Amino acid sequence: MQTELSKRLGVEHAVFGFTPFPAVAAAISRAGGFGVLGAVRYTAPDDLARDLDWMQDHVDGRPYGLDVVMPAQKVEGVSEADVEAMIPESHRQFVKDTLARHGVPELAEGEAAGWRITGWMEQVARGQLDVAFDYPIRLLANALGSPPADVVARAHGRGVLVAALAGSARHARKHAEAGLDIVVAQGYEAGGHTGEIASMVLTPEVTAAVAPLPVLAAGGIGSGEQVAAALALGAQGVWLGSVWLTTTEADLHSPALTRKLLAAGSGDTVRSRALTGKPARQLRTAWTDAWDDPAGPGTLPMPLQGLLVAEAVSRIQKYEVEPLLGTPVGQIVGRMTAERSVQAVFDDLTGGFERAVTRLNRIAGRA
């Protein structure tokens, strides 16, 4: 599964795997793909440095990258406390009432709320980059539009390729105009923040819009046959995220969540603003239903919603309150029916790709 882009980056397969788990990212690179570590949860630079040190020791010299969430427009002088103060008390009460209805226990006195969605903040994302550029990363991806121009220049000065996600051809053209090297065409089926255009339509549209820039197809891809389809549509690789959540190397810290993912069908996800304030595909739960209910207060814009629900999400996850327990995941969850190693996923991808190419060659009279 090689393309011009995979050869340029020195990887065997044009499979780019996004994950928040260092062990998964390293395993993807070792398996011949390109592991991309998500940085948004790292609010302390030392924590990111620790995990990048670990990856350096476990990728066997293979290339890898980093994914950040950095707004293109800089907002001066706004702290997390300033943002917190904008959250209405009525929304805080709604969170309390929803948790109380489901009997979610409080955190222990003095216990931190856990992960907070602060990676969107300018100073946090730049701190992540200050750490990352001390490591031999080969790719910097941004999940929130084109990175600021100085960041693109800084990456290019270190020989690092820059990519960004796009949900439309219009967004993709903006990335090309900003001097980016790769566009990730993320379709409606994808987990996390995603747009409204399906991958089968979006991939060729974006490919045509930004040619000759390489495009990675994302959204609903989890088999080798789908990889072959993406390349047939003009992509130079695929960007996979959800499929790694149920790998044995993943560290979800929740057997209950893993069970829910393995039992879910492709129709058991929903695009909801409940997690961050922007439409993000995730498991449909009583939590997403509560926020999407017209009788409720409605969600707040990003980043207010993420800060509002941070402690609640931590409590739901810690106590594994199954009706409320969820995670960002794409429609490919319907194919995720058993825990497998990252290498087993790659074996399936390469086998399916070979079957698809053989079938097409037979149809074309070449076999």
Side-chain angles (χ1 to χ4, degrees):
M1 296 189 291
Q2 278 209 338
T3 64
E4 182 180 341
L5 178 61
S6 66
K7 292 175 183 177
R8 180 180 179 184
L9 286 168
V11 295
E12 183 179 357
H13 304 300
V15 174
F16 294 70
F18 163 78
T19 174
F21 307 117
V24 176
I28 290 168
S29 291
R30 290 198 308 271
F34 191 98
V36 182
L37 179 65
V40 71
R41 67 191 180 97
Y42 293 98
T43 55
D46 288 348
D47 291 341
L48 178 58
R50 176 202 64 216
D51 282 355
L52 288 176
D53 282 337
W54 187 92
M55 284 191 62
Q56 274 293 105
D57 293 337
H58 290 84
V59 294
D60 293 348
R62 306 292 181 89
Y64 62 92
L66 193 76
D67 178 279
V68 298
V69 179
M70 175 176 272
Q73 300 298 320
K74 185 173 182 177
V75 179
E76 298 281 3
V78 178
S79 68
E80 185 176 336
D82 294 331
V83 178
E84 287 268 17
M86 301 177 190
I87 298 174
E89 184 56 37
S90 59
H91 281 73
R92 296 187 187 277
Q93 189 60 50
F94 180 76
V95 170
K96 293 177 183 177
D97 293 344
T98 303
L99 296 179
R101 278 200 306 274
H102 290 272
V104 182
E106 298 276 355
L107 295 175
E109 185 175 352
E111 183 177 359
W115 175 57
R116 294 170 64 78
I117 302 173
T118 55
W120 59 271
M121 298 181 73
E122 178 81 10
Q123 64 269 31
V124 175
R126 286 187 179 275
Q128 293 166 350
L129 294 179
D130 289 341
V131 171
F133 285 139
D134 285 337
Y135 293 82
I137 62 170
R138 296 291 307 281
L139 174 71
L140 173 66
N142 192 35
L144 203 62
S146 300
D150 69 295
V151 171
V152 176
R154 188 179 176 190
H156 285 167
R158 287 165 171 76
V160 176
L161 299 183
V162 182
L165 277 62
S168 70
R170 177 173 61 86
H171 292 153
R173 291 189 191 97
K174 289 184 177 180
H175 295 336
E177 292 165 2
L180 272 59
D181 306 289
I182 301 169
V183 175
V184 181
Q186 181 170 280
Y188 171 83
E189 308 96 325
H193 295 136
T194 188
E196 299 181 349
I197 305 174
S199 298
M200 183 66 82
V201 174
L202 181 66
T203 302
E205 283 189 354
V206 169
T207 300
V210 301
L213 280 187
V215 172
L216 301 177
I221 300 172
S223 72
E225 289 83 356
Q226 290 171 308
V227 175
L231 300 189
L233 292 172
Q236 285 202 32
V238 293
W239 178 274
L240 308 185
S242 298
V243 72
W244 315 113
L245 288 173
T246 53
T247 56
T248 53
E249 294 89 347
D251 193 9
L252 286 177
H253 297 295
S254 174
L257 180 54
T258 298
R259 288 195 299 272
K260 289 188 75 171
L261 287 168
L262 295 175
S266 56
D268 292 327
T269 68
V270 63
R271 283 174 76 244
S272 171
R273 298 176 184 268
L275 185 61
T276 69
K278 292 183 67 175
R281 185 171 298 286
Q282 54 203 280
L283 280 181
R284 181 176 181 179
T285 66
W287 180 253
T288 61
D289 286 347
W291 283 105
D292 295 338
D293 188 340
T299 56
L300 297 171
M302 188 180 190
L304 301 183
Q305 182 71 16
L307 292 172
L308 169 66
V309 305
E311 180 180 338
V313 171
S314 293
R315 289 165 58 186
I316 291 166
Q317 292 175 344
K318 175 179 179 178
Y319 298 110
E320 295 193 298
V321 183
E322 292 208 30
L324 303 177
L325 189 61
T327 185
V329 68
Q331 292 180 331
I332 197 63
V333 70
R335 290 182 61 98
M336 296 156 51
T337 57
E339 290 187 78
R340 300 180 294 167
S341 68
V342 168
Q343 184 61 60
V345 173
F346 266 89
D347 291 344
D348 183 59
L349 291 172
T350 54
F353 181 84
E354 185 174 356
R355 288 192 298 273
V357 172
T358 299
R359 184 163 54 248
L360 291 175
N361 282 333
R362 188 183 309 116
I363 292 171
R366 298 192 183 101

